[in-house]
Amino acid sequence: DPDANNVYLAEKVLNIERLMLIPGTIDFQVATCAYTNLGPPPGESAYAGDQTAAQWVRTVFHDFVTANVTAGTGGLDASVGFESNRTENAGTVFGDINFIDQTIKGFNLFSSVFISTSDFIALGITEAVLSCDPNSPMIQLRAGRIDATAPGPSGVPGPTDGITSQLAAFARAGFTKAEMITAVACGHTIGGVHNGDFSQIVGTQATIGTDDIDTFDDTPFVFDNIGVKNYLAGTLKAGGPLVTTTDALARSDLGIFTSDSNATVTAMATSQTSFENACFPIFEKMINTVPGTNPLLSDPIGPRTFITMDSRLDLTSTGVLTYSGFFGTYGKTAAPSTVTYEYGTVGGGNTGTKHSDSGVLQSNIINSNAGVPGGATKFPFFGNVTYYNFSDPIYTPTTNSLIVEGGIYSEPINLDLFVVPSLSYQSGTSYLVRAAILTSLLSSSVIHLNATLYYPYGVTSYAYNVGYAQFTQPLSYFTKLGSYTIFSGTIITPAPEFSASSKGGGGSHIDVSLGTTLRSVKANAGATPGVNVFIPCSTSDFPNCP
Ligand code: HEM
């Protein structure tokens, strides 16, 4: 079933894959592992104690750990965005913003109706760990989390709470003692403790940068087992500030690691592979701990080796139906020169093999800032990314799908009803929507279609969480074109109570429907990823648009 915004799980998966395959979108904020998406403060070197990858990993912990798995409440639901002012969520980063707020603000740059904030939080840890451990497989990511719209219960364990209370918090969230120890050791291999909010812990130790961080280990930009190794050996940082701080009551990592006589961390210290094999399933358990009311999550997201990055139906001025867009692929070896595909027809046949235009290798230079530690000039998260254009007339009225590379990827095509890109216009947040419906589907009693706008809004005045609201307007008869009847109407985005743009969010989408049974795919109205299907035009010109 689709969600409240008529979005299907398959569309959520596809849009996350697309974001992964557009270099310089979600990945730029954690490329490299040392990067900070706020940029270093004036006069500082690039690394001044704040690290976006570490903030994204810590945000997962603070969101999921207040779950109560017995009651089926809480978990990875983005409620943490409404809770960032709680003492248990302390963590101010450059620019005097809480790390959770800054995390969500960074995700909002790419907000769309397809990716919930909680799916972004889960995506964030997969991208962060891949950046800090580029030779590892990606943490398995599933899509389909539904966002909370209000704060949830408190209960993030703090460094001075004591082992009994920390164990109880993790147990409530469904984690055993060994799982808790693993989670802490895995989290505390990047980043560190800041003097600003934890001056009782980090005061006398060596600190780095404006934000006075004392890192957990000597390799804070690498997801590795150096921290647990040095903890066990008592060498170098010996486990870091939450082991060695002069404030004995705040030695939470020491208390946690010794709670099973170091058995768990000893196994994790054996090799980098044993560390990863312990950590990745625990991170997956954290991001898959969702409220009991959440629908089932998707299968793990690949991304598949071929997907459409953008695809759309259109009508030419003479009424010929076309399908066009581009494919994306990625890999560490050379990409094929073209992509092979076909259009499926009702009954299981197809209209014959086709080849795309030649592939165009995309630049994977993400952050060219030479000052970024690690020199992030090139950051191939998924290897080289190649795009291929395609564009075809659709001659067969029974066409119902696009099948790519023998079925590695396929998507449904609904010829009945669609927004017509070449006839639809946008001026700011106003839209002139033209929709085509097969004339054969219209009964004489149909006098209008409905166009629904899905637009971002700030859920509350104080949180950065962005949600999507709906606004539906009727479209009226406009003209006939080929086998289609065109309907037309204007949508002006209503002013939301809390503006999304002030929170860093995002684009809109429009679909059209006939009654309650027939609904088109969503046309992209300026959201990332995706190509805007609406042609720029000033509102005063709307009456004259062809
Ligand atoms: C009882 C359990 C835990 C306690 C008491 C605890 C405590 C802390 C504290 C006090 C900090 C310093 C925050 C700052 O100054 O910015 C911190 C940082 C961090 N924690 Fe934990 N933590 C726990 C569990 C976890 C877990 C399970 C994860 C894994 C997801 C995790 C990931 C991180 C990360 C990545 C940082 C570095 C943040 C940065 O550098 O900005 N923590 N933790």
PDB file of all heavy atoms in Angstrom, residues 79-114:
ATOM      1  N   SER A  79      12.120  11.264  15.651  1.00  0.00           N
ATOM      2  CA  SER A  79      11.594  12.034  16.782  1.00  0.00           C
ATOM      3  C   SER A  79      12.719  12.844  17.430  1.00  0.00           C
ATOM      4  O   SER A  79      12.478  13.882  18.047  1.00  0.00           O
ATOM      5  CB  SER A  79      10.948  11.111  17.822  1.00  0.00           C
ATOM      6  OG  SER A  79      11.922  10.291  18.430  1.00  0.00           O
ATOM      7  N   VAL A  80      13.947  12.376  17.252  1.00  0.00           N
ATOM      8  CA  VAL A  80      15.105  13.049  17.844  1.00  0.00           C
ATOM      9  C   VAL A  80      15.188  14.523  17.396  1.00  0.00           C
ATOM     10  O   VAL A  80      15.693  15.377  18.125  1.00  0.00           O
ATOM     11  CB  VAL A  80      16.393  12.260  17.492  1.00  0.00           C
ATOM     12  CG1 VAL A  80      16.818  12.474  16.039  1.00  0.00           C
ATOM     13  CG2 VAL A  80      17.526  12.543  18.444  1.00  0.00           C
ATOM     14  N   GLY A  81      14.637  14.809  16.211  1.00  0.00           N
ATOM     15  CA  GLY A  81      14.644  16.193  15.726  1.00  0.00           C
ATOM     16  C   GLY A  81      13.830  17.126  16.606  1.00  0.00           C
ATOM     17  O   GLY A  81      14.084  18.335  16.653  1.00  0.00           O
ATOM     18  N   PHE A  82      12.834  16.571  17.295  1.00  0.00           N
ATOM     19  CA  PHE A  82      12.000  17.392  18.182  1.00  0.00           C
ATOM     20  C   PHE A  82      12.551  17.402  19.610  1.00  0.00           C
ATOM     21  O   PHE A  82      11.942  17.955  20.509  1.00  0.00           O
ATOM     22  CB  PHE A  82      10.560  16.857  18.197  1.00  0.00           C
ATOM     23  CG  PHE A  82       9.946  16.752  16.830  1.00  0.00           C
ATOM     24  CD1 PHE A  82       9.832  15.525  16.194  1.00  0.00           C
ATOM     25  CD2 PHE A  82       9.510  17.891  16.164  1.00  0.00           C
ATOM     26  CE1 PHE A  82       9.283  15.422  14.923  1.00  0.00           C
ATOM     27  CE2 PHE A  82       8.956  17.806  14.898  1.00  0.00           C
ATOM     28  CZ  PHE A  82       8.844  16.572  14.264  1.00  0.00           C
ATOM     29  N   GLU A  83      13.687  16.697  19.794  1.00  0.00           N
ATOM     30  CA  GLU A  83      14.211  16.491  21.151  1.00  0.00           C
ATOM     31  C   GLU A  83      15.607  17.069  21.324  1.00  0.00           C
ATOM     32  O   GLU A  83      16.269  16.812  22.331  1.00  0.00           O
ATOM     33  CB  GLU A  83      14.255  14.970  21.435  1.00  0.00           C
ATOM     34  CG  GLU A  83      12.906  14.284  21.308  1.00  0.00           C
ATOM     35  CD  GLU A  83      13.007  12.765  21.083  1.00  0.00           C
ATOM     36  OE1 GLU A  83      14.137  12.232  21.009  1.00  0.00           O
ATOM     37  OE2 GLU A  83      11.949  12.127  20.975  1.00  0.00           O
ATOM     38  N   SER A  84      16.069  17.863  20.330  1.00  0.00           N
ATOM     39  CA  SER A  84      17.477  18.258  20.342  1.00  0.00           C
ATOM     40  C   SER A  84      17.795  19.232  21.473  1.00  0.00           C
ATOM     41  O   SER A  84      18.952  19.426  21.807  1.00  0.00           O
ATOM     42  CB  SER A  84      17.874  18.853  18.996  1.00  0.00           C
ATOM     43  OG  SER A  84      17.133  20.020  18.744  1.00  0.00           O
ATOM     44  N   ASN A  85      16.780  19.845  22.063  1.00  0.00           N
ATOM     45  CA  ASN A  85      17.058  20.770  23.172  1.00  0.00           C
ATOM     46  C   ASN A  85      17.142  20.066  24.529  1.00  0.00           C
ATOM     47  O   ASN A  85      17.373  20.717  25.542  1.00  0.00           O
ATOM     48  CB  ASN A  85      16.008  21.889  23.202  1.00  0.00           C
ATOM     49  CG  ASN A  85      14.599  21.345  23.349  1.00  0.00           C
ATOM     50  OD1 ASN A  85      14.409  20.128  23.329  1.00  0.00           O
ATOM     51  ND2 ASN A  85      13.624  22.225  23.502  1.00  0.00           N
ATOM     52  N   ARG A  86      16.982  18.747  24.554  1.00  0.00           N
ATOM     53  CA  ARG A  86      17.106  18.028  25.826  1.00  0.00           C
ATOM     54  C   ARG A  86      18.577  17.913  26.225  1.00  0.00           C
ATOM     55  O   ARG A  86      19.442  17.704  25.378  1.00  0.00           O
ATOM     56  CB  ARG A  86      16.531  16.614  25.696  1.00  0.00           C
ATOM     57  CG  ARG A  86      15.032  16.592  25.526  1.00  0.00           C
ATOM     58  CD  ARG A  86      14.558  15.156  25.398  1.00  0.00           C
ATOM     59  NE  ARG A  86      13.110  15.127  25.201  1.00  0.00           N
ATOM     60  CZ  ARG A  86      12.436  14.058  24.792  1.00  0.00           C
ATOM     61  NH1 ARG A  86      13.087  12.924  24.541  1.00  0.00           N
ATOM     62  NH2 ARG A  86      11.132  14.104  24.642  1.00  0.00           N
ATOM     63  N   THR A  87      18.827  17.950  27.525  1.00  0.00           N
ATOM     64  CA  THR A  87      20.199  17.822  28.023  1.00  0.00           C
ATOM     65  C   THR A  87      20.843  16.527  27.540  1.00  0.00           C
ATOM     66  O   THR A  87      22.032  16.490  27.210  1.00  0.00           O
ATOM     67  CB  THR A  87      20.185  17.833  29.570  1.00  0.00           C
ATOM     68  OG1 THR A  87      19.392  18.943  29.979  1.00  0.00           O
ATOM     69  CG2 THR A  87      21.577  17.950  30.147  1.00  0.00           C
ATOM     70  N   GLU A  88      20.073  15.449  27.449  1.00  0.00           N
ATOM     71  CA  GLU A  88      20.631  14.157  27.021  1.00  0.00           C
ATOM     72  C   GLU A  88      21.078  14.187  25.558  1.00  0.00           C
ATOM     73  O   GLU A  88      21.782  13.278  25.129  1.00  0.00           O
ATOM     74  CB  GLU A  88      19.610  13.033  27.249  1.00  0.00           C
ATOM     75  CG  GLU A  88      18.361  13.164  26.389  1.00  0.00           C
ATOM     76  CD  GLU A  88      17.290  12.133  26.755  1.00  0.00           C
ATOM     77  OE1 GLU A  88      17.204  11.762  27.937  1.00  0.00           O
ATOM     78  OE2 GLU A  88      16.551  11.718  25.855  1.00  0.00           O
ATOM     79  N   ASN A  89      20.671  15.218  24.823  1.00  0.00           N
ATOM     80  CA  ASN A  89      21.085  15.346  23.424  1.00  0.00           C
ATOM     81  C   ASN A  89      22.081  16.487  23.211  1.00  0.00           C
ATOM     82  O   ASN A  89      22.227  17.002  22.099  1.00  0.00           O
ATOM     83  CB  ASN A  89      19.862  15.555  22.530  1.00  0.00           C
ATOM     84  CG  ASN A  89      18.999  14.298  22.451  1.00  0.00           C
ATOM     85  OD1 ASN A  89      19.532  13.186  22.436  1.00  0.00           O
ATOM     86  ND2 ASN A  89      17.700  14.471  22.440  1.00  0.00           N
ATOM     87  N   ALA A  90      22.797  16.852  24.268  1.00  0.00           N
ATOM     88  CA  ALA A  90      23.744  17.958  24.164  1.00  0.00           C
ATOM     89  C   ALA A  90      24.812  17.659  23.113  1.00  0.00           C
ATOM     90  O   ALA A  90      25.273  16.532  22.977  1.00  0.00           O
ATOM     91  CB  ALA A  90      24.410  18.196  25.513  1.00  0.00           C
ATOM     92  N   GLY A  91      25.202  18.681  22.397  1.00  0.00           N
ATOM     93  CA  GLY A  91      26.239  18.539  21.379  1.00  0.00           C
ATOM     94  C   GLY A  91      26.158  19.718  20.423  1.00  0.00           C
ATOM     95  O   GLY A  91      25.490  19.645  19.388  1.00  0.00           O
ATOM     96  N   THR A  92      26.804  20.809  20.780  1.00  0.00           N
ATOM     97  CA  THR A  92      26.758  22.013  19.948  1.00  0.00           C
ATOM     98  C   THR A  92      27.916  21.972  18.963  1.00  0.00           C
ATOM     99  O   THR A  92      29.042  21.663  19.339  1.00  0.00           O
ATOM    100  CB  THR A  92      26.880  23.266  20.833  1.00  0.00           C
ATOM    101  OG1 THR A  92      25.920  23.149  21.873  1.00  0.00           O
ATOM    102  CG2 THR A  92      26.618  24.530  20.035  1.00  0.00           C
ATOM    103  N   VAL A  93      27.633  22.256  17.691  1.00  0.00           N
ATOM    104  CA  VAL A  93      28.685  22.257  16.682  1.00  0.00           C
ATOM    105  C   VAL A  93      28.878  23.680  16.170  1.00  0.00           C
ATOM    106  O   VAL A  93      28.190  24.605  16.619  1.00  0.00           O
ATOM    107  CB  VAL A  93      28.382  21.250  15.553  1.00  0.00           C
ATOM    108  CG1 VAL A  93      28.328  19.841  16.133  1.00  0.00           C
ATOM    109  CG2 VAL A  93      27.093  21.567  14.824  1.00  0.00           C
ATOM    110  N   PHE A  94      29.816  23.863  15.238  1.00  0.00           N
ATOM    111  CA  PHE A  94      30.103  25.208  14.714  1.00  0.00           C
ATOM    112  C   PHE A  94      28.799  25.931  14.396  1.00  0.00           C
ATOM    113  O   PHE A  94      27.867  25.345  13.875  1.00  0.00           O
ATOM    114  CB  PHE A  94      30.880  25.154  13.398  1.00  0.00           C
ATOM    115  CG  PHE A  94      32.189  24.447  13.466  1.00  0.00           C
ATOM    116  CD1 PHE A  94      32.692  23.850  12.334  1.00  0.00           C
ATOM    117  CD2 PHE A  94      32.924  24.395  14.632  1.00  0.00           C
ATOM    118  CE1 PHE A  94      33.915  23.203  12.357  1.00  0.00           C
ATOM    119  CE2 PHE A  94      34.142  23.750  14.670  1.00  0.00           C
ATOM    120  CZ  PHE A  94      34.637  23.147  13.535  1.00  0.00           C
ATOM    121  N   GLY A  95      28.804  27.213  14.613  1.00  0.00           N
ATOM    122  CA  GLY A  95      27.613  27.983  14.295  1.00  0.00           C
ATOM    123  C   GLY A  95      26.568  27.874  15.383  1.00  0.00           C
ATOM    124  O   GLY A  95      25.418  28.266  15.200  1.00  0.00           O
ATOM    125  N   ASP A  96      26.957  27.288  16.517  1.00  0.00           N
ATOM    126  CA  ASP A  96      26.066  27.192  17.663  1.00  0.00           C
ATOM    127  C   ASP A  96      24.752  26.499  17.356  1.00  0.00           C
ATOM    128  O   ASP A  96      23.686  26.942  17.769  1.00  0.00           O
ATOM    129  CB  ASP A  96      25.796  28.584  18.260  1.00  0.00           C
ATOM    130  CG  ASP A  96      26.960  29.018  19.131  1.00  0.00           C
ATOM    131  OD1 ASP A  96      27.743  28.137  19.555  1.00  0.00           O
ATOM    132  OD2 ASP A  96      27.088  30.229  19.369  1.00  0.00           O
ATOM    133  N   ILE A  97      24.842  25.422  16.603  1.00  0.00           N
ATOM    134  CA  ILE A  97      23.636  24.637  16.337  1.00  0.00           C
ATOM    135  C   ILE A  97      23.862  23.239  16.898  1.00  0.00           C
ATOM    136  O   ILE A  97      24.983  22.734  16.904  1.00  0.00           O
ATOM    137  CB  ILE A  97      23.320  24.643  14.816  1.00  0.00           C
ATOM    138  CG1 ILE A  97      22.029  23.874  14.505  1.00  0.00           C
ATOM    139  CG2 ILE A  97      24.481  24.114  13.983  1.00  0.00           C
ATOM    140  CD1 ILE A  97      21.558  24.013  13.055  1.00  0.00           C
ATOM    141  N   ASN A  98      22.788  22.631  17.397  1.00  0.00           N
ATOM    142  CA  ASN A  98      22.899  21.276  17.932  1.00  0.00           C
ATOM    143  C   ASN A  98      23.222  20.286  16.799  1.00  0.00           C
ATOM    144  O   ASN A  98      22.749  20.457  15.676  1.00  0.00           O
ATOM    145  CB  ASN A  98      21.574  20.915  18.615  1.00  0.00           C
ATOM    146  CG  ASN A  98      21.552  19.485  19.101  1.00  0.00           C
ATOM    147  OD1 ASN A  98      21.247  18.575  18.332  1.00  0.00           O
ATOM    148  ND2 ASN A  98      21.903  19.277  20.357  1.00  0.00           N
ATOM    149  N   PHE A  99      23.988  19.236  17.128  1.00  0.00           N
ATOM    150  CA  PHE A  99      24.421  18.301  16.059  1.00  0.00           C
ATOM    151  C   PHE A  99      23.247  17.607  15.381  1.00  0.00           C
ATOM    152  O   PHE A  99      23.317  17.281  14.194  1.00  0.00           O
ATOM    153  CB  PHE A  99      25.420  17.269  16.621  1.00  0.00           C
ATOM    154  CG  PHE A  99      24.804  16.173  17.468  1.00  0.00           C
ATOM    155  CD1 PHE A  99      24.574  14.918  16.944  1.00  0.00           C
ATOM    156  CD2 PHE A  99      24.466  16.397  18.797  1.00  0.00           C
ATOM    157  CE1 PHE A  99      24.005  13.897  17.718  1.00  0.00           C
ATOM    158  CE2 PHE A  99      23.896  15.395  19.581  1.00  0.00           C
ATOM    159  CZ  PHE A  99      23.667  14.150  19.035  1.00  0.00           C
ATOM    160  N   ILE A 100      22.171  17.381  16.114  1.00  0.00           N
ATOM    161  CA  ILE A 100      21.003  16.722  15.510  1.00  0.00           C
ATOM    162  C   ILE A 100      20.324  17.679  14.522  1.00  0.00           C
ATOM    163  O   ILE A 100      19.962  17.299  13.401  1.00  0.00           O
ATOM    164  CB  ILE A 100      20.002  16.284  16.605  1.00  0.00           C
ATOM    165  CG1 ILE A 100      20.627  15.198  17.485  1.00  0.00           C
ATOM    166  CG2 ILE A 100      18.691  15.808  15.986  1.00  0.00           C
ATOM    167  CD1 ILE A 100      19.897  14.969  18.804  1.00  0.00           C
ATOM    168  N   ASP A 101      20.176  18.930  14.938  1.00  0.00           N
ATOM    169  CA  ASP A 101      19.568  19.931  14.044  1.00  0.00           C
ATOM    170  C   ASP A 101      20.402  20.097  12.783  1.00  0.00           C
ATOM    171  O   ASP A 101      19.864  20.174  11.669  1.00  0.00           O
ATOM    172  CB  ASP A 101      19.456  21.280  14.759  1.00  0.00           C
ATOM    173  CG  ASP A 101      18.468  21.235  15.916  1.00  0.00           C
ATOM    174  OD1 ASP A 101      17.601  20.339  15.924  1.00  0.00           O
ATOM    175  OD2 ASP A 101      18.565  22.091  16.816  1.00  0.00           O
ATOM    176  N   GLN A 102      21.735  20.152  12.954  1.00  0.00           N
ATOM    177  CA  GLN A 102      22.608  20.321  11.799  1.00  0.00           C
ATOM    178  C   GLN A 102      22.542  19.104  10.880  1.00  0.00           C
ATOM    179  O   GLN A 102      22.584  19.223   9.655  1.00  0.00           O
ATOM    180  CB  GLN A 102      24.045  20.583  12.259  1.00  0.00           C
ATOM    181  CG  GLN A 102      25.041  20.766  11.125  1.00  0.00           C
ATOM    182  CD  GLN A 102      24.676  21.901  10.171  1.00  0.00           C
ATOM    183  OE1 GLN A 102      23.985  22.856  10.552  1.00  0.00           O
ATOM    184  NE2 GLN A 102      25.129  21.788   8.937  1.00  0.00           N
ATOM    185  N   THR A 103      22.420  17.920  11.479  1.00  0.00           N
ATOM    186  CA  THR A 103      22.289  16.690  10.689  1.00  0.00           C
ATOM    187  C   THR A 103      21.038  16.742   9.823  1.00  0.00           C
ATOM    188  O   THR A 103      21.074  16.515   8.614  1.00  0.00           O
ATOM    189  CB  THR A 103      22.251  15.471  11.642  1.00  0.00           C
ATOM    190  OG1 THR A 103      23.523  15.357  12.281  1.00  0.00           O
ATOM    191  CG2 THR A 103      21.929  14.181  10.911  1.00  0.00           C
ATOM    192  N   ILE A 104      19.901  17.073  10.443  1.00  0.00           N
ATOM    193  CA  ILE A 104      18.635  17.083   9.698  1.00  0.00           C
ATOM    194  C   ILE A 104      18.634  18.199   8.653  1.00  0.00           C
ATOM    195  O   ILE A 104      18.170  18.015   7.524  1.00  0.00           O
ATOM    196  CB  ILE A 104      17.443  17.190  10.683  1.00  0.00           C
ATOM    197  CG1 ILE A 104      17.374  15.910  11.518  1.00  0.00           C
ATOM    198  CG2 ILE A 104      16.134  17.447   9.944  1.00  0.00           C
ATOM    199  CD1 ILE A 104      16.319  15.903  12.596  1.00  0.00           C
ATOM    200  N   LYS A 105      19.231  19.342   9.017  1.00  0.00           N
ATOM    201  CA  LYS A 105      19.339  20.437   8.049  1.00  0.00           C
ATOM    202  C   LYS A 105      20.115  19.995   6.806  1.00  0.00           C
ATOM    203  O   LYS A 105      19.758  20.336   5.676  1.00  0.00           O
ATOM    204  CB  LYS A 105      20.076  21.603   8.718  1.00  0.00           C
ATOM    205  CG  LYS A 105      19.507  22.947   8.431  1.00  0.00           C
ATOM    206  CD  LYS A 105      20.281  24.009   9.190  1.00  0.00           C
ATOM    207  CE  LYS A 105      20.274  25.302   8.409  1.00  0.00           C
ATOM    208  NZ  LYS A 105      21.073  26.345   9.064  1.00  0.00           N
ATOM    209  N   GLY A 106      21.180  19.235   7.025  1.00  0.00           N
ATOM    210  CA  GLY A 106      21.972  18.729   5.899  1.00  0.00           C
ATOM    211  C   GLY A 106      21.155  17.787   5.017  1.00  0.00           C
ATOM    212  O   GLY A 106      21.257  17.824   3.787  1.00  0.00           O
ATOM    213  N   PHE A 107      20.326  16.959   5.624  1.00  0.00           N
ATOM    214  CA  PHE A 107      19.480  16.039   4.836  1.00  0.00           C
ATOM    215  C   PHE A 107      18.415  16.824   4.060  1.00  0.00           C
ATOM    216  O   PHE A 107      18.036  16.450   2.949  1.00  0.00           O
ATOM    217  CB  PHE A 107      18.797  15.015   5.748  1.00  0.00           C
ATOM    218  CG  PHE A 107      19.754  14.093   6.470  1.00  0.00           C
ATOM    219  CD1 PHE A 107      19.447  13.577   7.718  1.00  0.00           C
ATOM    220  CD2 PHE A 107      20.965  13.735   5.897  1.00  0.00           C
ATOM    221  CE1 PHE A 107      20.317  12.718   8.377  1.00  0.00           C
ATOM    222  CE2 PHE A 107      21.848  12.878   6.545  1.00  0.00           C
ATOM    223  CZ  PHE A 107      21.518  12.374   7.792  1.00  0.00           C
ATOM    224  N   ASN A 108      17.918  17.910   4.667  1.00  0.00           N
ATOM    225  CA  ASN A 108      16.820  18.664   4.036  1.00  0.00           C
ATOM    226  C   ASN A 108      17.211  19.246   2.681  1.00  0.00           C
ATOM    227  O   ASN A 108      16.334  19.527   1.865  1.00  0.00           O
ATOM    228  CB  ASN A 108      16.362  19.802   4.948  1.00  0.00           C
ATOM    229  CG  ASN A 108      15.581  19.298   6.144  1.00  0.00           C
ATOM    230  OD1 ASN A 108      15.179  18.138   6.185  1.00  0.00           O
ATOM    231  ND2 ASN A 108      15.361  20.164   7.114  1.00  0.00           N
ATOM    232  N   LEU A 109      18.523  19.420   2.449  1.00  0.00           N
ATOM    233  CA  LEU A 109      18.963  19.913   1.145  1.00  0.00           C
ATOM    234  C   LEU A 109      18.410  19.033   0.025  1.00  0.00           C
ATOM    235  O   LEU A 109      18.238  19.479  -1.101  1.00  0.00           O
ATOM    236  CB  LEU A 109      20.502  19.883   1.050  1.00  0.00           C
ATOM    237  CG  LEU A 109      21.283  20.856   1.913  1.00  0.00           C
ATOM    238  CD1 LEU A 109      22.771  20.532   1.843  1.00  0.00           C
ATOM    239  CD2 LEU A 109      21.025  22.274   1.432  1.00  0.00           C
ATOM    240  N   PHE A 110      18.167  17.753   0.350  1.00  0.00           N
ATOM    241  CA  PHE A 110      17.757  16.790  -0.676  1.00  0.00           C
ATOM    242  C   PHE A 110      16.382  16.216  -0.354  1.00  0.00           C
ATOM    243  O   PHE A 110      16.030  15.119  -0.798  1.00  0.00           O
ATOM    244  CB  PHE A 110      18.817  15.695  -0.809  1.00  0.00           C
ATOM    245  CG  PHE A 110      20.187  16.280  -1.005  1.00  0.00           C
ATOM    246  CD1 PHE A 110      21.122  16.287   0.016  1.00  0.00           C
ATOM    247  CD2 PHE A 110      20.491  16.929  -2.194  1.00  0.00           C
ATOM    248  CE1 PHE A 110      22.363  16.886  -0.161  1.00  0.00           C
ATOM    249  CE2 PHE A 110      21.729  17.534  -2.384  1.00  0.00           C
ATOM    250  CZ  PHE A 110      22.661  17.516  -1.365  1.00  0.00           C
ATOM    251  N   SER A 111      15.599  16.956   0.423  1.00  0.00           N
ATOM    252  CA  SER A 111      14.318  16.399   0.861  1.00  0.00           C
ATOM    253  C   SER A 111      13.376  16.234  -0.322  1.00  0.00           C
ATOM    254  O   SER A 111      13.375  17.027  -1.256  1.00  0.00           O
ATOM    255  CB  SER A 111      13.687  17.282   1.932  1.00  0.00           C
ATOM    256  OG  SER A 111      13.125  18.430   1.359  1.00  0.00           O
ATOM    257  N   SER A 112      12.590  15.185  -0.268  1.00  0.00           N
ATOM    258  CA  SER A 112      11.550  14.954  -1.269  1.00  0.00           C
ATOM    259  C   SER A 112      10.470  14.129  -0.582  1.00  0.00           C
ATOM    260  O   SER A 112      10.694  13.590   0.501  1.00  0.00           O
ATOM    261  CB  SER A 112      12.103  14.209  -2.479  1.00  0.00           C
ATOM    262  OG  SER A 112      12.315  12.851  -2.173  1.00  0.00           O
ATOM    263  N   VAL A 113       9.328  14.032  -1.230  1.00  0.00           N
ATOM    264  CA  VAL A 113       8.221  13.279  -0.649  1.00  0.00           C
ATOM    265  C   VAL A 113       8.575  11.790  -0.548  1.00  0.00           C
ATOM    266  O   VAL A 113       7.927  11.036   0.159  1.00  0.00           O
ATOM    267  CB  VAL A 113       6.943  13.510  -1.491  1.00  0.00           C
ATOM    268  CG1 VAL A 113       7.003  12.734  -2.806  1.00  0.00           C
ATOM    269  CG2 VAL A 113       5.682  13.200  -0.716  1.00  0.00           C
ATOM    270  N   PHE A 114       9.653  11.389  -1.248  1.00  0.00           N
ATOM    271  CA  PHE A 114      10.014   9.970  -1.322  1.00  0.00           C
ATOM    272  C   PHE A 114      10.911   9.504  -0.177  1.00  0.00           C
ATOM    273  O   PHE A 114      11.038   8.308   0.063  1.00  0.00           O
ATOM    274  CB  PHE A 114      10.742   9.683  -2.641  1.00  0.00           C
ATOM    275  CG  PHE A 114       9.928  10.012  -3.861  1.00  0.00           C
ATOM    276  CD1 PHE A 114      10.262  11.080  -4.679  1.00  0.00           C
ATOM    277  CD2 PHE A 114       8.813   9.263  -4.177  1.00  0.00           C
ATOM    278  CE1 PHE A 114       9.506  11.383  -5.804  1.00  0.00           C
ATOM    279  CE2 PHE A 114       8.047   9.557  -5.296  1.00  0.00           C
ATOM    280  CZ  PHE A 114       8.395  10.623  -6.118  1.00  0.00           C
TER     281      PHE A 114
END
